[in-house]
Structure formats: structure tokens, C-alpha cells
Amino acid sequence: MNKKNGLCLSRRQLLLGTGSLALVSLFSPSPIMMAMAKAGMVYEPGSGKWIGTTCNGCTSFCAKQVYIQDGRALHIRGNEHSKVHGTSSCPRQYLALQELYDPDRVRTPMLRTNPEKGRGIDPQFKPISWDEAIKLMADRLMALRERNETHRYVTLRGRYSYLSDLLIKNFTQVLGSPNAITHSALCAEADKLGSFFTEGDWGYRQYDIKDTRYILSFGVDPLSANRQVSYYCSQWGNTLDHAQVAIVDPRFSASAAKADEWLPVVPGQDAALGLALAHQILVDGGWHRPFIGDFKDGQNRFVAGQEVDPEYFDELHSHGLVRWWNLELKEHTPEWAAELSGIEAAQIRRLAKKLADAAPRVQVWRARGVQMQHRGGYTAMALHALNGLLGAIDQEGGVLKWASVPLGEIPSSKKYADEIGQQGLKKEKIDRRGRLEFPALKKGKSGGGVVTNAVAESILTEDPYLPDFVLGYFNNFTFSAPGGQQWEEALKKVPFVAHITTNISEFSWYADLILPAPHFMFERWGIQKTAGNRYTQVSISQPMIKRLGLSVEDECGIPWLIAEELARRGFKDPMRYLITEFKDPETGKEPTNADELALYATKLLTKKLWDPLQYIEGDHFSGWQEFQDKGVWNSKPYSFRKRWSQMKTATKKFEFYSETMKEALEKHAKKHHTDVDQVMEATGYLARGEQAFVPHYEPPFRYGDEKAFPMLFVDHKSRLSREGRSANSFWYQQNLDVDPGARKYADVAKLNPIDAKMLSIEDGDTIRITSIQGSIVCEAALFEGVRPGTVAKAFGQGHWAYGRIASQQFGKIPFGGNNNELLPPVYEQLSGSSAFYGQIGVRVEKV
């Protein structure tokens, strides 16, 4: 399936580094510069300007600077003012240039004229004006108000900035709907669950790799996909000079290629390995006593198979270690884990000793994959518990919290909702969060999270109701969610779907109205934050070129346009909210148009960072202009050990026996007039009794009979994937071989030669992969870097829309296969996360 047609650029011509990811010179020839020359535009080195922005290509959210000349974006680099990553970068940033100037971008609002919907059916979109588009949306909203059904308006958020709450949450609230659905449960909610129910932190972590001595990574590929790829790419070589690295992954990743040890674990069995490591560390006496504490007489009583009397142990900054041992760990020997995980017992013992010897300057990473499986919540807790056991929490060389930043919030709109709106806000949310089977325990609150993928099922079953108007923003759930086929069927049922997007995507194909979006990095205001290198930063995006086509500010501008039209029809509360709450914090001026609203909202949310009168910590600015010019604010350096015995858990300590989990589960059970055991049963977990309150082993659920589907599927991220949006770029297609085992202009599934021989499959053969959910066609790549019995494939290809390069035949035939068409739409239900990993059985056949 090699795709050879179209423009082919040499690696030298690409604005990408080699293995070291070094930046090429600004003044090297690039396709954009060559296009400018062909158009007669004169390029003079040094005559342009670097402008600060943020890359939204992944959740690293790196601060960037873009070189602008003659109204064109020519080059991108890391922002020199960032203390997180400095001028370091990863390859993905450059793909944004081709996204910006993609000839397939949506340039004007478009209306569907063919009422029939389906893959391969031409929607027959026709261009319309913004006035017509806004009136269509206002018609739907006013009709809902007339019927007292404002709750049937649903917003769906994909990639975003912190301004998106205006469009998705607050503006939706003033209209009278509780249905502001984010993509978070497709991202990392199970990850946050693991740290919240051990150390009280519902958030991400940063890793102090400069001073670490040992990195143990479960499924994380920090050189390709994690939160701060730019920083890790720049520092990884230095880290290897003073630390050892072990990568636990069924696939030999880019990071595994740079590691000391690769452990090809059986998919879904990471918890078994993690618990056996904890067992062995305790048996060897390798826990970090200054954090954990010790036996009163100094005698180690952790002996395999034997219970320990808690009275003999004095804990310091942790809670429940002995209870964890008695309830779960005492039987979980390396031999027990070896049978499940495929990692030899001797190797587990050796790894446990290395971790203990390096403690507390160690760090145990866990990826979205290992915990975003059907029973993965306790895997997240078990692997994070290793960090606690080794004293790595808030420690030099260890695992650090994302420090809080003095960033403001979008002003509340609840008081602007009238009586009709207040009635709508009382309705159950469309994703069914908080039901017995969907606790969605964000920060321990029943129903506090989101169950993104459940919306499709809710629509199909009309439970709790059928939406009338769905507005999607930079989301493509038909492509990015497990079992995306159900979204295609669901969207057919919704009477009116609007989609804000840069390119017509698979979601757009089912829309009635398409609204062109500006590109986040170059054409609009936005705010993001990230952490790394012991700092947290906030960076902005700002309009730096004339917008292509007729796009408007999306997160702020579209609410403004809708509010204007609603006010003309007598419904003035939305506009009253915008002009009252979003005044310019420097002048007090009310916004008079969409662009001013976006600017004022950006200034309002960042005011505590740039206003010298409100200075709290970190970088000190003279005012808004200096902050805008630099584009990034940095916090003060991280304060180590400050949270020891000051954590936001029920005991204020690191919890191996989670009183925080116990409290949350009991409250959820009480809400549904039942007990915790019934909650466990409803959410698919096997634990009963007190085992539910400790990190424990849950056997992975296997999807597909082993006889019919003998192999296990491993979904992973490409080094070049900008969250599935980069496939319409020549630079992306030509450089896919930066991933081990991949090849350019192809969509490959990597098979171990042992399996390939049994299946009579040769390298380059076209193959079909089938699961209980669906079937895809792609190309076989024989690669010894995948565990026998598994097939590994990067997410990103398989578009049948999104552009002429991304698809084989736009609107009809995909280029390769979409991984999510193989994954069943199931969940880690305690958090609401969708399951992308575990034991997904597949059958592989030569076509």
C-alpha cells in the first residue's frame, strides 16, 4: 500500500531534525520559501519577526515562536523564554506549517444539501455566508427554548485552549444545557485516577530526569508521545549518562531503542509486574524509610506468604502499607507475575533491586495505555504506588506534581441563565455520568468526570434522551474514539449537527453545517499550560497572520456571533453575559466584536501573570505587552518534599490503603442505595471487600475468543501524529519511518517474524486485521521488536476523509486502517475513560 503519487520531498528539504532532533537553520530552503519565490515574493534574511505561540499538536503544549515575514509563517522553534523546554522542539511542530497552508482546509461555512448520511455518500456541501450559518444555529436554539428543551443542545470538545470553556461550557450553560462534553475520557482520566487515589492529585506529573538514577516506564514512549516531548528529546541523551532506563512495552519503541533494558510484557499484564516489584522491594527491605517509615525494632517482617501485624510498623508520610501487604502483596511473588506478564522472575528480582538501590531518585512512568483498559484503574494505582514505596514523590530525581499557576477561569454564566435555562440545567447529562455503572470519580466525586464515548450510545438508545442540536468543536470522535462506527450511526439520528473544524473530517461527513476554524498556532488567541524541568509554564497563542478564508475566532468568536443573533430575536442574556463579564482588564472597555472578546478573554484569564499589581510568583512582567511579546510565563522552581504529609488525600499522606477511594466509593454506593461490592460488580471489577481500597491485580478482560482471535492488538502513537490531524501532510507521510518498524507512505502493522511465518505472511503483504468490533486493511511489516503473539500498529492513518493525501479516495476509501475500528467501545468505568488497551483479540490474514 505504498503511496508514491504526489509531491515527494527529500529528508534534507524537510524542516525536521535527524535522530538528535536538532533544528535546521532558519534560512535553509523550505517548500514555503520556494513557493514564495515562485510567487515573486522577496525573502530577505533578518527582515521578519519571531512571534510567540503554543503548539497544540499534542498534550505537551510547548511554547513556540514562529518566524513571520511578509504575512507568511516560515519557521517554528521552541520559545527561548521557556524554562520548561527552551528552544528544544520535536518534529511535530513543523507539520503545523503544512496544516496551516493545506489547500484542503475549509475556507467558508458550508451547508449539507443531501439529507442522506453515510460513509461514501456525498453530503453535497454548498458554501453559505456566516450570517446564514449563524441564523441556522439560532433557529435551532430558539426552537429548543420555545419547547422548554434547551438540554437537547449538546457541545462536544476535542483539542482546545483554556478559552474553550467559553464556547463549550459557559455559553452552553447560559443557553440552558448541562451538556458540555469534553474529550477528557478519551485522553487520560484513568491516569489521573491512579495519582488521585494515592496522593490526592487529579492531574498529570512531571519527571525530574536531570537528577534521576533510574527510570522504569510502563508503556510510555517519552521521545514520541508524552507530556513534554520537546524537553525529553533534548535531555534524554544526558539522562542516559547518569541513569538507567527500562521500558516495559510489548512494542520496541523509540524510547526502548535508547534504553538499557526492554521488557516485552504481555498486553494488559502490567499490574502483575508492578505488584511483583512492590512485593520484592518489601521482601528485600528496599522501601525508602525516610518517606515510608520502618518496623519499630528494625526487623523486616515482610516475608512471602506471611501476614504482618500493623502494630509493628511505624509509618511516616504514607498510610496503610502493611494493610496493602496483607490484603494484596504477600502472595504476589516474581514467580506469580512471570506466568502472567511473560517477564522472567529473575529479571523481576534484578529490576526490584535496581530500583531500591537507586531510590529515592527513581521514577515509575505509566502511559495512557496500561491503565486505559477495562479494569485498568487499579493498574494506575499499583504502578504509582511504586513511586510512593521508593520515596520518589516530590523528590529530586523523582516524580513531581504539576505546580498550580495563578491562571484565571472563564467567568461563571450560571446566574445569566433564565427560568427556561435553569430548568434545562437540571436535566441529566447526556453521557450518563454518575450512574451506578459510570461513577466517573473525578477528584473523588460521583459523576464529577465525563464519559465521552457514552454519548454515542446515549444517542442510539435515546437514553436519557435524543439531542436535537450537536455542536462539535475540533473533535473527530468518529475517527478518534474506540468503536467509532457507533458515532457514525449516532450522528445520523441527530436532527442537526454542526462542526467547527479546519478540515472536513469523518465527523464533518455527518454534519449539516460546517464552520471553518482558524489554526490554533497562527490565527487566533489561546492559552495553554504545561510542566517539565521543575517548572510549570503558561503560554499563549495569538493571531500573527491574516486568517485564511472566512474563519472567525472560534472559542470566543462563535459565541459572540450567536449571542448577537439571539439578542436580535429578543433573547439578550447570552450577550449580556459576554459584555458584562469580559471587559478589557486594562481599560475596562466592553467588547464590541468577536476579535475583541477573544483578546479580552485572553487578558482576563492571564491577568495575574502579567499585571505587576497582582504579582504572586514566577516571571515578573511590566504589563500585558511584555507578556504578549515573550509569549510565555514560567513559575518559580519546584519545591521538593513540600507536600509530604500535606497531600489532598483523606489522611493527608500517600495512601497504599486508600481511604480516599473508600470514601468516594461508599458515597457513590450510598447515592444508589447499595454497597461498594455492587459498585465493583457494576463497573466490571472483580475485587470485593477491602481489596477495592488498595492497588490490586485485576485480570485483563479479553475481547474475542482466543481460538477465533488468537493475537493481541497493541495500539500506539506515531512520533509524527498531531493527534490524528497530520495525515494530510506530505511531510508526515514521507517521514513515518522515524518510528521503529514503520515505513514512509504506508500504514503498517508490525508482526514478529515468528508469527508471520506461521501465517504465511511476508514483509509488505496486504493484510486484514479483524476483531469482534470490526476489520481494517493495511500493510504487514515484519519486525522483531514486537512481542510474539501481538500485532502493533500506530494510530493516525486510516482516514477516509480529512483530505486528498490522508485518504485513498476522499469520502469513500481510507488510506490504510483506523485502529479505533478494531477497539470495542468499552470503558474503565471508575474514571469514565475509554479503553484503548488490554487484551483486544484479533485475527490477522493475508489479503
Side-chain angles (χ1 to χ4, degrees):
M1 290 183 62
N2 285 339
K3 191 169 182 179
K4 302 295 186 184
N5 59 308
L7 175 64
C8 291
L9 305 173
S10 70
R11 190 177 296 271
R12 181 179 298 276
Q13 288 172 303
L14 297 175
L15 294 178
L16 296 175
T18 59
S20 66
L21 300 178
L23 293 176
V24 298
S25 167
L26 164 63
F27 305 117
S28 299
S30 76
I32 293 175
M33 294 178 186
M34 290 187 284
M36 288 177 66
K38 188 174 181 181
M41 300 174 69
V42 178
Y43 175 72
E44 297 178 2
S47 61
K49 182 181 180 181
W50 290 102
I51 299 178
T53 189
T54 304
C55 181
N56 230 29
C58 76
T59 49
S60 292
F61 299 131
C62 297
K64 298 296 180 184
Q65 292 174 318
V66 180
Y67 194 78
I68 303 294
Q69 172 152 9
D70 295 331
R72 300 282 293 195
L74 299 182
H75 188 51
I76 304 171
R77 70 182 183 190
N79 192 319
E80 61 186 335
H81 302 293
S82 167
K83 293 180 181 178
V84 171
H85 51 71
T87 57
S88 302
S89 295
C90 86
R92 281 191 287 266
Q93 65 178 29
Y94 300 108
L95 299 174
L97 291 171
Q98 285 205 334
E99 290 176 351
L100 173 64
Y101 296 114
D102 185 350
D104 293 331
R105 274 186 65 178
V106 178
R107 304 297 181 98
T108 185
M110 293 191 293
L111 179 67
R112 169 186 290 274
T113 60
N114 184 358
E116 188 179 359
K117 296 183 179 182
R119 191 183 297 203
I121 298 173
D122 187 354
Q124 297 177 19
F125 290 120
K126 72 170 186 178
I128 61 172
S129 68
W130 270 103
D131 282 347
E132 292 174 295
I134 296 300
K135 286 176 180 177
L136 282 172
M137 292 192 286
D139 287 344
R140 309 296 303 198
L141 294 171
M142 292 302 291
L144 288 174
R145 282 182 58 78
E146 290 170 7
R147 300 197 302 267
N148 289 321
E149 293 181 338
T150 55
H151 60 285
R152 294 183 187 269
Y153 172 60
V154 176
T155 55
L156 304 175
R157 188 189 77 184
R159 181 46 56 225
Y160 66 98
S161 93
Y162 279 90
L163 297 180
S164 70
D165 274 357
L166 177 54
L167 169 68
I168 300 299
K169 179 184 174 183
N170 296 58
F171 195 70
T172 301
Q173 187 178 70
V174 78
L175 294 175
S177 174
N179 290 312
I181 307 298
T182 73
H183 77 292
S184 298
L186 299 178
C187 186
E189 296 304 270
D191 177 82
K192 298 172 186 175
L193 180 147
S195 54
F196 181 80
F197 288 113
T198 49
E199 63 167 298
D201 176 27
W202 189 273
Y204 307 125
R205 290 149 306 287
Q206 55 169 309
Y207 301 93
D208 187 20
I209 65 173
K210 280 188 176 180
D211 281 328
T212 195
R213 294 177 58 202
Y214 205 95
I215 296 173
L216 175 61
S217 170
F218 285 84
V220 185
D221 186 5
L223 300 183
S224 298
N226 194 256
R227 290 175 176 84
Q228 240 339 286
V229 175
S230 293
Y231 172 61
Y232 297 130
C233 285
S234 68
Q235 287 295 323
W236 205 250
N238 296 330
T239 298
L240 293 175
D241 289 339
H242 58 75
Q244 292 190 38
V245 178
I247 303 291
V248 181
D249 199 320
R251 173 185 68 97
F252 190 73
S253 63
S255 298
K258 302 292 184 183
D260 298 280
E261 201 164 355
W262 172 46
L263 294 85
V265 69
V266 172
Q269 296 288 6
D270 304 82
L273 175 56
L275 291 167
L277 287 170
H279 169 101
Q280 193 62 39
I281 288 167
L282 290 173
V283 168
D284 292 344
W287 68 91
H288 189 61
R289 285 163 177 79
F291 182 72
I292 299 295
D294 200 359
F295 286 99
K296 293 175 182 178
D297 58 4
Q299 179 184 343
N300 184 8
R301 289 176 171 77
F302 292 120
V303 178
Q306 297 183 17
E307 286 201 3
V308 173
D309 187 342
E311 291 298 319
Y312 285 104
F313 199 90
D314 277 340
E315 284 190 90
L316 293 177
H317 304 291
S318 66
H319 171 78
L321 176 64
V322 173
R323 294 176 79 180
W324 185 31
W325 169 267
N326 291 338
L327 285 166
E328 183 68 16
L329 290 184
K330 67 180 188 296
E331 308 292 345
H332 290 342
T333 64
E335 285 75 17
W336 165 81
E339 291 187 17
L340 297 167
S341 67
I343 306 301
E344 293 181 359
Q347 191 173 15
I348 297 174
R349 286 193 171 88
R350 185 176 71 251
L351 191 59
K353 186 177 187 309
K354 287 183 176 181
L355 287 166
D357 288 346
R361 295 176 184 261
V362 299
Q363 42 197 245
V364 178
W365 299 28
R366 62 185 193 274
R368 169 186 193 242
V370 300
Q371 53 224 349
M372 290 183 74
Q373 53 175 302
H374 179 45
R375 296 172 180 154
Y378 289 100
T379 299
M381 292 177 67
L383 300 185
H384 196 52
L386 282 172
N387 286 312
L389 192 61
L390 295 163
I393 305 298
D394 284 353
Q395 184 74 260
E396 289 94 343
V399 181
L400 314 181
K401 182 181 182 291
W402 279 38
S404 59
V405 298
L407 192 64
E409 296 182 351
I410 296 291
S412 173
S413 59
K414 197 166 187 179
K415 65 182 180 182
Y416 294 92
D418 63 8
E419 185 177 349
I420 294 173
Q422 292 292 346
Q423 291 177 9
L425 291 173
K426 293 176 183 177
K427 298 290 186 179
E428 182 182 7
K429 292 180 174 64
I430 190 71
D431 62 344
R432 297 178 282 173
R433 68 184 80 174
R435 290 191 181 183
L436 178 64
E437 67 275 19
F438 282 130
L441 297 174
K442 181 178 179 180
K443 298 184 179 180
K445 180 184 176 182
S446 174
V450 63
V451 194
T452 310
N453 215 22
V455 175
E457 186 179 344
S458 295
I459 293 171
L460 289 170
T461 60
E462 301 187 20
D463 176 19
Y465 43 78
L466 177 68
D468 178 81
F469 178 2
V470 168
L471 174 67
Y473 170 61
F474 258 104
N475 66 308
N476 191 13
F477 297 159
T478 49
F479 183 81
S480 63
Q485 301 98 318
Q486 69 171 353
W487 277 97
E488 296 184 38
E489 295 306 311
L491 292 176
K492 291 178 185 178
K493 288 193 65 173
V494 179
F496 189 78
V497 178
H499 195 210
I500 306 168
T501 182
T502 55
N503 291 62
I504 293 178
S505 69
E506 288 76 10
F507 190 95
S508 311
W509 208 256
Y510 294 88
D512 300 281
L513 178 66
I514 295 179
L515 302 174
H519 195 287
F520 182 89
M521 285 184 71
F522 312 97
E523 299 176 319
R524 46 155 291 188
W525 290 102
I527 305 167
Q528 288 292 9
K529 64 179 179 180
T530 191
N533 192 27
R534 303 182 178 180
Y535 289 92
T536 301
Q537 73 181 30
V538 173
S539 56
I540 59 171
S541 300
Q542 53 188 311
M544 59 187 68
I545 63 171
K546 182 180 178 181
R547 293 190 202 113
L548 275 69
L550 298 177
S551 66
V552 302
E553 285 276 356
D554 42 19
E555 292 176 342
C556 298
I558 290 176
W560 178 270
L561 296 178
I562 294 174
E564 277 189 322
E565 180 60 29
L566 294 176
R568 281 191 283 267
R569 301 182 185 204
F571 180 31
K572 298 182 178 180
D573 291 328
M575 180 56 74
R576 188 164 59 88
Y577 164 62
L578 296 180
I579 62 175
T580 303
E581 300 291 346
F582 292 91
K583 295 172 182 167
D584 186 337
E586 285 188 297
T587 66
K589 180 183 175 184
E590 295 178 349
T592 60
N593 55 54
D595 290 335
E596 286 184 352
L597 176 62
L599 171 60
Y600 298 170
T602 304
K603 293 170 73 174
L604 189 66
L605 265 65
T606 59
K607 188 173 190 285
K608 292 180 182 179
L609 306 180
W610 54 261
D611 186 346
L613 297 179
Q614 296 192 24
Y615 177 76
I616 298 175
E617 64 168 77
D619 289 349
H620 196 293
F621 298 105
S622 60
W624 163 254
Q625 190 60 55
E626 184 184 3
F627 175 56
Q628 181 184 351
D629 291 342
K630 290 187 175 179
V632 61
W633 170 91
N634 301 280
S635 70
K636 63 183 181 182
Y638 196 87
S639 297
F640 295 106
R641 294 172 293 280
K642 187 176 180 180
R643 294 192 305 120
W644 286 16
S645 291
Q646 297 296 323
M647 296 178 179
K648 293 182 179 180
T649 58
T651 62
K652 304 296 183 184
K653 298 184 177 185
F654 190 96
E655 296 183 343
F656 298 110
Y657 182 97
S658 182
E659 304 286 356
T660 309
M661 173 68 88
K662 182 178 181 179
E663 183 179 302
L665 289 176
E666 287 179 346
K667 284 183 177 179
H668 182 70
K670 184 178 181 180
K671 173 182 171 181
H672 293 282
H673 311 289
T674 185
D675 58 23
V676 172
D677 282 354
Q678 289 299 310
V679 174
M680 290 290 98
E681 182 176 353
T683 55
Y685 282 100
L686 304 182
R688 298 294 182 267
E690 286 193 296
Q691 193 181 35
F693 312 137
V694 297
H696 66 268
Y697 176 74
E698 291 273 348
F701 191 95
R702 196 183 202 283
Y703 291 91
D705 177 74
E706 193 168 352
K707 210 167 189 179
F709 304 98
M711 301 187 74
L712 295 177
F713 186 74
V714 178
D715 169 78
H716 67 93
K717 299 297 171 281
S718 167
R719 203 170 190 176
L720 295 186
S721 179
R722 289 174 58 85
E723 300 196 322
R725 296 185 180 89
S726 46
N728 207 46
S729 162
F730 285 114
W731 294 349
Y732 170 86
Q733 299 290 353
Q734 181 143 356
N735 287 269
L736 284 171
D737 54 349
V738 298
D739 291 320
R743 53 178 64 114
K744 61 183 65 179
Y745 284 106
D747 184 31
V748 303
K750 294 172 278 290
L751 299 168
N752 191 286
I754 296 172
D755 295 318
K757 184 177 181 180
M758 293 175 59
L759 296 168
S760 300
I761 291 173
E762 297 183 0
D763 192 64
D765 281 349
T766 300
I767 58 173
R768 178 177 289 106
I769 306 175
T770 304
S771 72
I772 61 169
Q773 177 65 26
S775 182
I776 63 173
V777 174
C778 59
E779 184 177 308
L782 273 55
F783 182 50
E784 292 181 346
V786 290
R787 180 183 176 86
T790 69
V791 53
K793 186 173 176 296
F795 169 75
Q797 300 275 50
H799 281 287
W800 49 269
Y802 218 80
R804 69 193 80 183
I805 300 170
S807 54
Q808 189 166 320
Q809 184 177 351
F810 180 70
K812 293 183 179 180
I813 303 175
F815 175 49
N818 178 9
N819 292 7
N820 287 318
E821 295 188 15
L822 297 174
L823 307 182
V826 293
Y827 310 88
E828 193 295 301
Q829 289 165 239
L830 292 178
S831 65
S833 289
S834 286
F836 289 83
Y837 187 63
Q839 297 202 336
I840 314 297
V842 294
R843 180 173 62 250
V844 181
E845 305 162 289
K846 182 177 178 179
V847 175

